[in-house]
Amino acid sequence: VYGIGYHFPDALTYFDKRSEIFTDSLFSLLAVGLALGALTKFQLKIYDEERKINKEQQEELKRINSSQNNFFAGMSHEIRTPINTIIGLNEMIIRENQDEKTREYAAHIQVAGKLLLSLVNDILDLSRMEMKRMEIFSERYDTRDMFQELVDMIQIRAMEKNLKFFVDVDSNLPSELVGDERRIKQVLLNILTNAVKYTKEGSITMLVNWDETNPEKKLLRVSVVDTGIGIRKENIQYLYDVFKRFDEKNNMKIEGSGLGLAISKSLLDLMDGEISVDSIYTKGSTFTVVIPQQVADATPIGEEGFLENSHKITYENYRQSFEAPEAKILVVDDNEMNALVVSKLLEATKV
């Protein structure tokens, strides 16, 4: 109206009285103001309703998530008991049965049982993390023993796939450090196991370095290099997502839950550590883990032949390492089968 009045003044009907002009302007102002106010109030009402619904949905999701985590945690505990019983009694079959076929079947049961137990433990760890119940316990540990155990476990898996396994440990690595040995071992085992799983031919290399360049923050640095299938650049950002797996078509036969790296990343965050990856698709990957550690005994481990010291686990001709007929052990457990497993495993020692 203002524009028409300015350009075409003859098109307007002019009021005769000054009061009529002000009355008309006031009416227009009030009408527009009320319309805008009503519209704004309506929009705010819709926004409040949507926000209320969204808040209720978030609370419901939290309740569902908490319920699921509690369920998984509870079920994981319940499932682990019979699995441990199966593994324990199956060990007795391997020890006591002399039939080769039976021992072979039992050995396969043992491998499958330990894999199942590992998957259940992953779910339990994930539940603990999501419920903020995961804790890190630092204590002194023997670095030589820890890496020797890792080498023993991975060398067997590498040999089964005809892969070469190389180990290079810094001779200046202190013989005793302070940290959560169990969780460090879990992280490194996850990475080493993945390297074996996703490498069809070639080699796996574990490089261990001790970094003292910063006196206030001494670092344990472990790199795992493989010649496996590698990772596409666009997939690296999703590498630590829960249950995320890539190249499903090519990797569908590879065992695992897809939880290993996600759990490892969360554990490293709790230990103030870091994990990084450098990968070329179809050529291989390098995973590097850096964890701050304190020194308990600075004596260097020196030149250790981890591969030479490694021993292949075998089920042949089990023989107890000692006998102690006068010794007595009290086993306390609310599950009868657990007590049975312990007593059976100790039977040959005459304890």
Side-chain angles (χ1 to χ4, degrees):
V1 172
Y2 282 133
I4 292 170
Y6 181 80
H7 293 286
F8 309 101
D10 295 337
L12 297 183
T13 300
Y14 290 90
F15 292 108
D16 296 328
K17 298 179 180 179
R18 191 166 178 267
S19 60
E20 291 177 345
I21 296 173
F22 279 96
T23 302
D24 184 72
S25 296
L26 181 62
F27 174 79
S28 300
L29 183 64
L30 290 172
V32 172
L34 287 170
L36 288 173
L39 182 62
T40 304
K41 187 173 179 64
F42 178 70
Q43 288 179 324
L44 287 173
K45 184 179 179 182
I46 292 175
Y47 172 75
D48 286 338
E49 288 178 354
E50 288 179 348
R51 187 173 61 177
K52 186 179 178 181
I53 292 170
N54 187 40
K55 188 176 180 181
E56 289 175 353
Q57 288 175 340
Q58 286 181 342
E59 289 175 354
E60 182 65 21
L61 284 172
K62 283 181 181 178
R63 282 195 295 270
I64 292 172
N65 193 38
S66 177
S67 176
Q68 286 178 340
N69 286 333
N70 287 325
F71 171 77
F72 281 133
M75 284 304 297
S76 297
H77 277 296
E78 293 299 321
I79 293 171
R80 284 201 300 182
T81 299
I83 293 176
N84 281 321
T85 302
I86 292 168
I87 292 173
L89 294 179
N90 188 67
E91 176 68 24
M92 296 309 302
I93 294 174
I94 294 171
R95 291 183 183 185
E96 296 178 357
N97 198 290
Q98 300 303 314
D99 181 69
E100 287 298 320
K101 274 291 180 187
T102 304
R103 289 164 68 87
E104 182 183 347
Y105 296 151
H108 287 299
I109 292 172
Q110 200 77 342
V111 172
K114 288 181 178 179
L115 174 61
L116 180 58
L117 184 60
S118 174
L119 294 175
V120 171
N121 285 336
D122 282 347
I123 294 172
L124 182 59
D125 283 344
L126 185 66
S127 300
R128 283 176 177 167
M129 287 171 184
E130 292 190 351
M131 291 188 291
K132 309 296 182 185
R133 292 182 185 174
M134 180 64 75
E135 293 181 83
I136 297 299
F137 299 98
S138 293
E139 56 186 8
R140 61 191 295 162
Y141 64 92
D142 189 302
T143 55
R144 186 185 291 104
D145 289 348
M146 185 185 77
F147 284 110
Q148 187 64 63
E149 190 174 341
L150 286 169
V151 169
D152 289 346
M153 288 187 284
I154 296 302
Q155 188 172 25
I156 293 167
R157 299 188 184 190
M159 288 173 63
E160 288 172 351
K161 294 187 69 175
N162 295 318
L163 299 173
K164 293 179 181 178
F165 183 41
F166 302 105
V167 178
D168 184 0
V169 179
D170 189 346
S171 60
N172 292 319
L173 180 70
S175 57
E176 288 191 9
L177 296 176
V178 177
D180 193 327
E181 179 189 6
R182 180 184 167 216
R183 296 305 181 184
I184 294 172
K185 198 187 302 179
Q186 183 179 355
V187 168
L188 297 179
L189 188 59
N190 275 333
I191 295 170
L192 286 163
T193 302
N194 278 351
V196 174
K197 285 196 297 188
Y198 291 99
T199 302
K200 294 180 181 178
E201 57 183 21
S203 64
I204 311 295
T205 303
M206 180 173 69
L207 306 169
V208 182
N209 291 296
W210 178 244
D211 186 354
E212 288 185 320
T213 51
N214 184 352
E216 297 179 0
K217 196 174 185 181
K218 298 177 181 180
L219 303 173
L220 176 65
R221 190 186 308 272
V222 182
S223 295
V224 177
V225 185
D226 66 61
T227 59
I229 61 174
I231 308 161
R232 288 188 173 95
K233 284 186 177 180
E234 61 268 24
N235 290 335
I236 289 179
Q237 60 181 318
Y238 306 112
L239 204 55
Y240 309 108
D241 290 357
V242 177
F243 298 113
K244 192 79 172 181
R245 297 185 76 176
F246 309 108
D247 284 347
E248 288 286 352
K249 185 178 179 181
N250 296 326
N251 300 330
M252 60 189 302
K253 292 183 180 179
I254 294 177
E255 63 189 26
S257 61
L259 292 174
L261 284 178
I263 291 172
S264 297
K265 178 70 167 63
S266 297
L267 288 173
L268 286 168
D269 288 342
L270 289 172
M271 294 187 287
D272 296 324
E274 297 176 357
I275 183 171
S276 60
V277 60
D278 183 20
S279 183
I280 300 175
Y281 188 59
T282 73
K283 298 295 182 182
S285 304
T286 300
F287 282 85
T288 301
V289 169
V290 180
I291 312 171
Q293 297 285 272
Q294 295 177 347
V295 179
D297 184 348
T299 306
I301 64 168
E303 298 294 336
E304 274 291 322
F306 287 95
L307 290 173
E308 292 78 4
N309 295 335
S310 181
H311 54 277
K312 185 176 180 181
I313 296 172
T314 175
Y315 295 114
E316 298 297 324
N317 302 322
Y318 166 78
R319 184 177 180 276
Q320 76 277 13
S321 58
F322 68 93
E323 288 185 3
E326 300 300 320
K328 293 182 180 180
I329 295 175
L330 174 65
V331 178
V332 181
D333 201 292
D334 61 354
N335 185 284
E336 188 178 350
M337 292 305 294
N338 286 345
L340 175 65
V341 169
V342 175
S343 62
K344 289 293 182 184
L345 290 172
L346 286 170
E347 201 168 50
T349 65
K350 299 181 180 178
V351 169

